[in-house]
Amino acid sequence: MTSLHEIMQQRRDTRHFTTDEVPQEVLDKAILAGHFAPSVGLTNATRFYIVRKAEIKSEIKKIFQNYHEKAASLTDSPTQKEKYLQLKLEAIEEVPIGLIIAYDRSVLDNFTIGTVGSNEAIKYSAVCAAQNVWLSLTEQGFSMGWVSILNHYDFKNLLNFPEYIEPIGYFCVGKPATNYDNQPMLQQLKWNEKTVSPVVTEIENTVIKQEINSENEIKEISSTKISSESIQQKIDNKTKPLGALGKLETIAHQIATIQQSLEIQITNPTLVVFAADHGIANHGVSAYPQEVTRQMVENFLTDGAAINVFCKQNNIDLKIVDAGVNYDFPKIEKLIDKKVAKGTQSFLQTPAMSLDELHLAFQFGKEITEQIANSGTNCIGFGEMGIGNTSSASVLMSVLTQIPIADCVGKGTGVDTEKYNRKVQLLSDAISNHTTSNLEETLACFGGFEIIQMAGAMLEAYNKNMIILVDGFIATVSYLIASIKNPDIKKNAIFCHCSSEKAHITLLNYLNAEPLINLEMRLGEGSGVAVAFPIIQSAVSFFNEMASFESAGVSNKE
């Protein structure tokens, strides 16, 4: 009998199989072994699905092929691409059995022991189950190959999985045609080498945690040198009837007041998109899976999103911040790494973040603005990306303003009516499950890393006397937080648009803030800022360049 240690040394990534059938008793024993794997909080959240039909395997193969081609396009060189395309990475249509191992994240709707540190613990349990299945199959003379190159969203839709069922991968199960000399395929093909020894480090010292000062220092803006009357006089003396340029006059007056100048300017306008994931997304509050956050960040970095187009159109410098995406990005020059953690916890049962994480998020936001201001920028806009962040924003709005939660919840990314009603009830339950006594506790309980970083960045932008451009609902909640900490921030804030997210107009009214435009947008990303920016430029242009009655020799109204 092969020992456990010998089995563990055998090759895992089986890609070549015989035509032998897998006896039912072999499959049953292997799946039972998977069931014996550790289960965080004894939730029994791991699920197993069997695929035998050729037509289903064919459709799964198509999904693999699409992502396989995408992966090939991301290789580092033509030579590496050629090598990659020569690899055999699946046997979907060749094996008798397809096995899907998944986990049911609806278990997180109730308190679950072991998930307070990470919602990912139920996923790790499913991965342990996959290891056990492989061990059992190998001991019985069979094997499996893990196929992970799949579009998660398309894969779930194809299989008609409920939104709360999350597959970790597709596994090809059968009789191995060879033992490959017990070498990993990628090692055999000279792609990479399995190290001989594990990397083990004994920890002998710890770092004393330093206190982070989350308070953005509130600096006094120098007392007014140019009166509001002199600014208004310049506007009124332009060759136009009084007030004829409407909100453009208001914007120009505000910018002149901020800059204390009768010659105003916008230099190096910059828009920052903060991205992060939210534990509350595990409860199905969004129409999209959590991995869309990571995919959209990658889209931003390859200039494929709406915000890329609008920023390019209007000569706005775009910065992307990883504030807490549940993904390990490679080192990318265009991505600002300010990750506090891989997403927040689900605030249904436990605080979204610790106070230390809250303080760090504020600090990171401050640092980002400092860096941008030091580059010569005097105008900064804010946008966000994060599946589940409308839920966090809605709860924060409700708790901070005492507006009923039902009036603070919208359809976010476009959930249907049934899911919307469930979302309202879920968020109402979350509020009832917590008692907070001050602002910090509230923000830590219900906040998101991108929401808090934006608030910290806005506060520092005010300290740097920058023009602050606020986007839609999520960004306005960040502004709400910032304004509670420093009410004077309103002097520098321009609310660029009114989102069609129903709570946004309610929040704008609460703040007594008037948006520049209403195009029924609800995209986020800072898109409202970028689209409204030409209006702000027009305000600056007329203020600086439009002739006065005197200079143009035009008679004024008597």
Side-chain angles (χ1 to χ4, degrees):
M1 180 178 177
T2 307
S3 72
L4 176 61
H5 195 74
E6 289 172 322
I7 291 174
M8 288 191 294
Q9 293 180 71
Q10 294 186 30
R11 172 174 164 142
R12 282 166 169 71
D13 54 341
T14 304
R15 305 299 183 203
H16 299 85
F17 297 85
T18 69
T19 57
D20 294 2
E21 291 296 319
V22 179
Q24 187 62 44
E25 59 269 22
V26 170
L27 185 61
D28 289 344
K29 185 178 179 181
I31 291 177
L32 186 59
H35 182 64
F36 289 154
S39 172
V40 64
L42 281 183
T43 53
N44 299 305
T46 303
R47 303 286 181 265
F48 303 91
Y49 299 86
I50 307 298
V51 177
R52 300 182 192 271
K53 290 186 176 181
E55 56 267 32
I56 298 177
K57 294 175 184 175
S58 176
E59 292 301 315
I60 293 171
K61 175 70 174 284
K62 291 176 184 176
I63 294 174
F64 163 82
Q65 198 61 44
N66 286 338
Y67 250 39
H68 181 51
E69 292 169 3
K70 179 180 179 179
S73 69
L74 297 174
T75 49
D76 295 332
S77 67
T79 302
Q80 188 183 55
K81 180 178 181 179
E82 184 179 356
K83 284 181 66 178
Y84 173 82
L85 291 173
Q86 290 173 356
L87 301 175
K88 181 172 175 56
L89 299 177
E90 52 79 34
I92 296 170
E93 295 181 300
E94 301 158 35
V95 292
I97 298 291
L99 174 65
I100 300 159
I101 301 178
Y103 61 94
D104 180 348
R105 54 177 165 78
S106 70
V107 300
L108 294 170
D109 289 352
N110 300 303
F111 174 73
T112 303
I113 294 173
T115 60
V116 174
S118 172
N119 296 320
E120 298 280 274
I122 56 169
K123 180 191 293 185
Y124 303 152
S125 294
V127 174
C128 289
Q131 169 76 341
N132 273 17
V133 171
W134 176 82
L135 286 169
S136 177
L137 285 170
T138 304
E139 188 268 336
Q140 297 178 81
F142 291 81
S143 191
M144 70 182 191
W146 190 333
V147 181
S148 59
I149 305 173
L150 296 167
N151 181 302
H152 184 85
Y153 189 64
D154 291 344
F155 187 51
K156 281 185 63 170
N157 282 345
L158 172 69
L159 301 171
N160 197 29
F161 280 175
E163 51 86 19
Y164 52 82
I165 296 295
E166 300 290 353
I168 65 169
Y170 182 87
F171 299 85
C172 303
V173 179
K175 189 85 169 179
T178 173
N179 69 357
Y180 305 94
D181 295 326
N182 275 338
Q183 290 187 68
M185 175 185 68
L186 297 182
Q187 180 169 298
Q188 276 190 318
L189 299 177
K190 311 298 182 187
W191 183 274
N192 212 336
E193 290 285 326
K194 179 72 173 179
T195 57
V196 176
S197 302
V199 179
V200 181
T201 304
E202 183 171 341
I203 298 174
E204 297 179 339
N205 299 295
T206 58
V207 176
I208 303 299
K209 184 175 68 175
Q210 295 182 338
E211 290 294 325
I212 298 172
N213 179 16
S214 67
E215 295 297 324
N216 291 63
E217 181 188 354
I218 299 176
K219 299 177 182 176
E220 285 225 11
I221 305 301
S222 58
S223 58
T224 303
K225 297 176 183 176
I226 298 177
S227 68
S228 174
E229 290 76 15
S230 61
I231 295 170
Q232 191 61 48
Q233 184 179 28
K234 177 172 181 176
I235 293 171
D236 291 345
N237 282 342
K238 300 293 185 182
T239 49
K240 61 173 182 59
L242 290 176
L245 288 178
K247 289 183 181 178
L248 292 179
E249 299 186 17
T250 305
I251 298 167
H253 191 289
Q254 182 180 4
I255 295 175
T257 303
I258 292 169
Q259 297 185 353
Q260 283 299 287
S261 174
L262 295 178
E263 293 294 328
I264 60 179
Q265 59 181 335
I266 294 176
T267 56
N268 302 329
T270 299
L271 194 149
V272 190
V273 177
F274 294 79
D277 277 310
H278 294 255
I280 197 68
N282 286 310
H283 304 283
V285 294
S286 173
Y288 292 91
Q290 190 179 79
E291 70 169 7
V292 170
T293 305
R294 181 262 300 174
Q295 292 170 346
M296 282 306 300
V297 170
E298 292 173 340
N299 196 23
F300 297 148
L301 297 173
T302 53
D303 299 330
I307 192 58
N308 298 96
V309 174
F310 297 146
C311 283
K312 182 179 179 181
Q313 173 191 8
N314 294 316
N315 296 313
I316 301 170
D317 188 22
L318 179 63
K319 307 286 188 186
I320 310 299
V321 177
D322 175 7
V325 181
N326 187 17
Y327 184 74
D328 291 314
F329 291 101
K331 186 71 174 177
I332 303 172
E333 186 178 351
K334 292 168 66 176
L335 181 64
I336 300 172
D337 182 7
K338 293 293 183 181
K339 190 192 296 287
V340 178
K342 290 183 180 179
T344 56
Q345 299 301 301
S346 168
F347 57 71
L348 181 61
Q349 301 290 346
T350 190
M353 66 186 78
S354 68
L355 288 175
D356 285 342
E357 288 173 328
L358 174 74
H359 298 161
L360 187 60
F362 272 117
Q363 178 64 27
F364 279 167
K366 176 182 178 181
E367 291 173 0
I368 289 165
T369 295
E370 283 179 334
Q371 184 177 1
I372 292 171
N374 290 340
S375 71
T377 296
N378 71 351
C379 178
I380 184 169
F382 295 95
E384 42 61 44
M385 175 64 215
I387 296 300
N389 64 7
T390 56
S391 293
S392 178
S394 295
V395 173
L396 287 171
M397 173 183 167
S398 178
V399 175
L400 295 176
T401 66
Q402 295 301 298
I403 296 172
I405 185 63
D407 296 329
C408 300
V409 179
K411 293 197 173 183
T413 48
V415 296
D416 59 30
T417 301
E418 181 182 352
K419 186 173 283 191
Y420 167 76
N421 291 335
R422 182 172 182 273
K423 179 178 178 180
V424 173
Q425 185 59 54
L426 187 83
L427 299 185
S428 179
D429 291 344
I431 294 172
S432 299
N433 288 341
H434 298 279
T435 301
T436 58
S437 60
N438 56 48
L439 177 63
E440 279 205 342
E441 288 182 5
T442 298
L443 299 180
C445 201
F446 302 114
F449 294 134
E450 81 279 39
I451 293 173
I452 303 302
Q453 287 197 25
M454 274 196 293
M458 288 177 183
L459 286 164
E460 185 61 19
Y462 174 75
N463 286 340
K464 299 292 186 184
N465 203 35
M466 302 168 82
I467 303 165
I468 300 169
L469 307 182
V470 183
D471 189 42
F473 176 52
I474 314 296
T476 306
V477 169
S478 291
Y479 169 85
L480 170 66
I481 295 166
S483 68
I484 293 172
K485 283 178 163 283
N486 184 0
D488 285 343
I489 196 172
K490 188 171 186 179
K491 300 172 185 175
N492 290 48
I494 297 175
F495 296 85
C496 291
H497 85 122
C498 179
S499 165
S500 65
E501 190 74 12
K502 77 169 190 177
H504 193 205
I505 185 62
T506 304
L507 182 55
L508 289 170
N509 289 338
Y510 175 87
L511 294 166
N512 195 25
E514 191 171 355
L516 297 185
I517 59 173
N518 185 347
L519 300 180
E520 299 182 357
M521 296 166 61
R522 54 177 178 84
L523 177 62
E525 304 177 6
S527 53
V529 169
V531 169
F533 186 68
I535 297 173
I536 299 167
Q537 288 180 308
S538 295
V540 172
S541 295
F542 101 78
F543 187 82
N544 289 337
E545 301 172 24
M546 187 175 177
S548 65
F549 286 104
E550 183 180 4
S551 66
V554 175
S555 299
N556 200 347
K557 180 181 178 181
E558 294 184 3

